[in-house]
Amino acid sequence: MKVEQISIFIENKSGRLAEITRILGEAGINIRALSLADTSDFGILRLIVNEVEKAKAVLKEKGFTVSKTEVVAVEVPDQPGGLSTILQALDRDNTNVEYMYAFVERCGGNAVIIFRFDETDKAIATLTANNFNILAGERLYSM
């Protein structure tokens, strides 16, 4: 039920993002979802890719600092209040969302949101108990 995500620390300067995407593209790695957060000096690029270990290896080989974390992909009803129902269930169980971002492809009539939690297993138990659909990594990587 957990999805592997890579995080790349990059200097906040022109061309660095293009370089990462070029490296991954040349290695045949497909980016499925991404999030970029930055400060004036550096950024953190979070990616869901189809080949996590290969992506880590090629980026490290080119001098990038790369780490791997586990996130959870949840189908969200694509309607007003859809995300709110998930967040309310998590709030009732005092589960903290560290960050989240949307996955660009739709899954049936639902959107997909990537979540990072401070207590991932607790969050999965809460989501499952409230009948939310959690996507397996293999399904997400192949979408």
Side-chain angles (χ1 to χ4, degrees):
M1 288 191 176
K2 298 173 187 172
V3 175
E4 292 182 329
Q5 165 192 273
I6 59 171
S7 298
I8 306 113
F9 296 89
I10 56 176
E11 295 171 87
N12 192 358
K13 69 177 192 178
S14 180
R16 295 301 275 173
L17 188 57
E19 181 181 3
I20 290 170
T21 59
R22 179 189 52 77
I23 291 166
L24 293 175
E26 288 174 354
I29 296 165
N30 194 14
I31 299 170
R32 305 306 304 143
L34 65 86
S35 170
L36 178 62
D38 71 333
T39 67
S40 58
D41 297 325
F42 70 93
I44 301 173
L45 177 62
R46 294 181 173 105
L47 300 174
I48 306 290
V49 296
N50 64 329
E51 296 183 67
V52 173
E53 294 305 323
K54 184 177 179 182
K56 279 182 58 182
V58 297
L59 289 169
K60 283 185 176 185
E61 183 180 290
K62 297 293 185 178
F64 288 95
T65 301
V66 183
S67 64
K68 181 172 66 172
T69 54
E70 292 181 330
V71 292
V72 179
V74 183
E75 285 185 290
V76 179
D78 190 14
Q79 61 191 27
L83 178 58
S84 178
T85 60
I86 291 174
L87 294 175
Q88 287 177 38
L90 293 165
D91 186 50
R92 282 192 298 274
D93 280 354
N94 296 314
T95 301
N96 184 45
V97 175
E98 290 184 1
Y99 59 82
M100 58 187 240
Y101 55 95
F103 180 59
V104 296
E105 197 155 308
R106 295 171 58 90
C107 188
N110 296 321
V112 178
I113 303 289
I114 307 297
F115 288 92
R116 171 76 175 160
F117 300 105
D118 58 355
E119 296 178 81
T120 303
D121 292 330
K122 178 182 174 187
I124 289 171
T126 297
L127 293 166
T128 302
N130 284 277
N131 299 313
F132 292 108
N133 189 28
I134 300 172
L135 301 178
E138 296 76 29
R139 183 169 171 209
L140 187 66
Y141 307 141
S142 68
M143 290 180 121

